[in-house]
Amino acid sequence: MSTQTQSPSIALDYVKTIGIVNNGLNGRGFANPYDTAVDSDGNIYVLNRCDPARASAIRVGVCNLDEEYLREFGRGNGSGDGQFIWVVAMALGSGNRLFITDEYNHRVTVYDTGGNYLSHWGVAGSGDGELNGPAGIAIDSTGSVIVVDQHNSRVQKFTDDGKFIAAWGSFGSGEGQFNLPWGVAVDGQDNVYVCDWRNDRIQKFSNDGEFLAAYGEPGYGEGQFQRPTGVAVDPEGFIYVADWGNERVQVLGPDGGFQLLLHGEATVSKWAEDYFASNPEEKAERDSANLKPDLPSHLNTPYHVSSQTEPYFWGPVSVTLDSQGRLYVAETNRHRLQVYRKR
């Protein structure tokens, strides 16, 4: 379901669901998707983190809104050229390049959108230009690469070939401080928005790191967060937040005020329809299952509700906007994307 409980200034319509769990090592489907990027041709790049049992299948899968599975690329689990261990996020830059963070290898890996490995950069450490668990990544209008340096409690800015430009932030809960920061986005004025994960808030900075504002506080109510992981900002300044610990997406206004709440309303994807057509016994099991059960009173946390309510988000880890105003929510626990469109 979706609810709009305060402002009539924004509404999102559900479009569709894309995805099915991929239990193999390649082919159509997702395995713990963590992030998406969408190019100008409408190709959707899905970053599959994969669980330890399928670590060799870490990859980027490419599909489109019509659910055609186009290709995939990546060189699996490891520290060699083009390999990953714990991928987190990606951003699409100029020259059709995808910049992908790897929090285990402490680096950024660059592919082109055709799937060709180009380079990687970053070394472990806490000095200028060094990384410790890079997480969110974004590209500003100048082509500079903004990286959330998670365990160093800071944000760093680099050239697109990895040369250090600037850094800001320190550990703590004050203005401009972080506690395990995660996702990041830039707006049309190149302001930087950071998901301050353990402080349960979004912080806004100028492009050179001046603190501008903080939005949110710990909690379950409107405008409150539990471990936000992803953020995106549209051309009108609306702020979309993957409120991961609350199993939902929230939309804030340009001033940070609460606007809209999404719990998810997934339907069966084309890929799942194809699977059920070939496996009618599983389709029959699904048809007889209660996908939206009434839960006992002690199972009332967001996690319990979402894990038992199939249309809802379960593990909404990132939010991505395309040029047409569509919102893509990556659900790592149900191996799918839910797509919405701004009305």
Side-chain angles (χ1 to χ4, degrees):
M1 68 180 219
S2 65
T3 58
Q4 185 168 337
T5 57
Q6 278 199 11
S7 172
S9 58
I10 182 173
L12 294 174
D13 295 322
Y14 171 77
V15 176
K16 69 187 314 180
T17 295
I18 302 173
I20 191 172
V21 63
N22 185 318
N23 289 314
L25 299 181
N26 61 353
R28 184 173 70 173
F30 305 137
N32 306 109
Y34 252 56
D35 202 6
T36 58
V38 186
D39 68 19
S40 58
D41 294 324
N43 296 311
I44 305 166
Y45 301 84
V46 182
L47 186 62
N48 293 273
R49 180 161 166 134
C50 298
D51 58 33
R54 292 173 287 177
S56 61
I58 297 169
R59 65 191 182 276
V60 177
V62 189
C63 61
N64 59 29
L65 200 61
D66 292 329
E67 297 177 65
E68 297 173 300
Y69 192 75
L70 304 174
R71 59 188 181 277
E72 58 192 38
F73 56 87
R75 298 180 182 174
N77 185 60
S79 300
D81 290 350
Q83 291 188 308
F84 309 102
I85 294 182
W86 291 345
V87 294
V88 177
M90 63 183 172
L92 183 62
S94 63
N96 293 318
R97 291 173 297 170
L98 283 167
F99 295 77
I100 302 169
T101 56
D102 184 334
E103 63 175 317
Y104 186 93
N105 283 320
H106 309 293
R107 68 189 189 190
V108 174
T109 295
V110 187
Y111 273 87
D112 67 26
T113 54
N116 300 299
Y117 164 76
L118 300 177
S119 65
H120 65 260
W121 46 263
V123 295
S126 58
D128 286 349
E130 296 176 336
L131 299 168
N132 188 355
I137 189 167
I139 314 292
D140 70 16
S141 66
T142 71
S144 296
V145 182
I146 312 295
V147 180
V148 173
D149 192 5
Q150 178 187 179
H151 297 297
N152 283 325
S153 304
R154 65 185 180 184
V155 174
Q156 295 201 71
K157 182 161 64 170
F158 299 87
T159 64
D160 60 6
D161 57 357
K163 293 182 176 63
F164 173 78
I165 298 174
W168 66 86
S170 61
F171 177 79
S173 58
E175 293 182 354
Q177 295 184 315
F178 303 107
N179 191 344
L180 291 180
W182 193 256
V184 66
V186 295
D187 66 14
Q189 289 72 49
D190 280 339
N191 296 312
V192 179
Y193 299 72
V194 182
C195 294
D196 191 1
W197 190 81
R198 191 163 278 172
N199 283 324
D200 299 311
R201 64 185 181 183
I202 306 299
Q203 293 199 68
K204 178 182 178 180
F205 301 88
S206 69
N207 194 258
D208 58 4
E210 178 189 358
F211 172 82
L212 299 176
Y215 309 131
E217 62 184 4
Y220 304 98
E222 296 170 352
Q224 297 179 323
F225 301 112
Q226 290 289 324
R227 307 302 191 251
T229 50
V231 60
V233 186
D234 73 18
E236 293 182 273
F238 288 96
I239 306 162
Y240 303 73
V241 181
D243 189 6
W244 176 81
N246 280 325
E247 307 285 359
R248 64 190 184 185
V249 170
Q250 294 197 67
V251 184
L252 309 179
D255 63 353
F258 172 79
Q259 297 289 319
L260 182 68
L261 179 66
L262 302 176
H263 283 293
E265 48 189 307
T267 51
V268 176
S269 72
K270 287 183 180 179
W271 301 350
E273 289 175 350
D274 291 345
Y275 175 83
F276 288 133
S278 300
N279 297 271
E281 69 286 353
E282 294 202 30
K283 176 65 162 57
E285 289 291 329
R286 177 184 172 84
D287 289 343
S288 64
N290 184 358
L291 302 179
K292 294 186 285 186
D294 293 324
L295 299 176
S297 59
H298 67 283
L299 298 180
N300 60 1
T301 68
Y303 179 89
H304 283 126
V305 173
S306 283
S307 67
Q308 300 299 312
T309 308
E310 201 269 348
Y312 283 9
F313 300 127
W314 187 23
V317 70
S318 70
V319 285
T320 301
L321 294 165
D322 70 11
S323 61
Q324 304 301 309
R326 286 182 288 254
L327 172 72
Y328 301 77
V329 183
E331 283 184 75
T332 188
N333 289 340
R334 287 202 170 98
H335 315 284
R336 67 190 183 189
L337 311 177
Q338 291 196 43
V339 185
Y340 295 78
R341 186 164 190 167
K342 190 174 177 181
R343 191 177 303 165

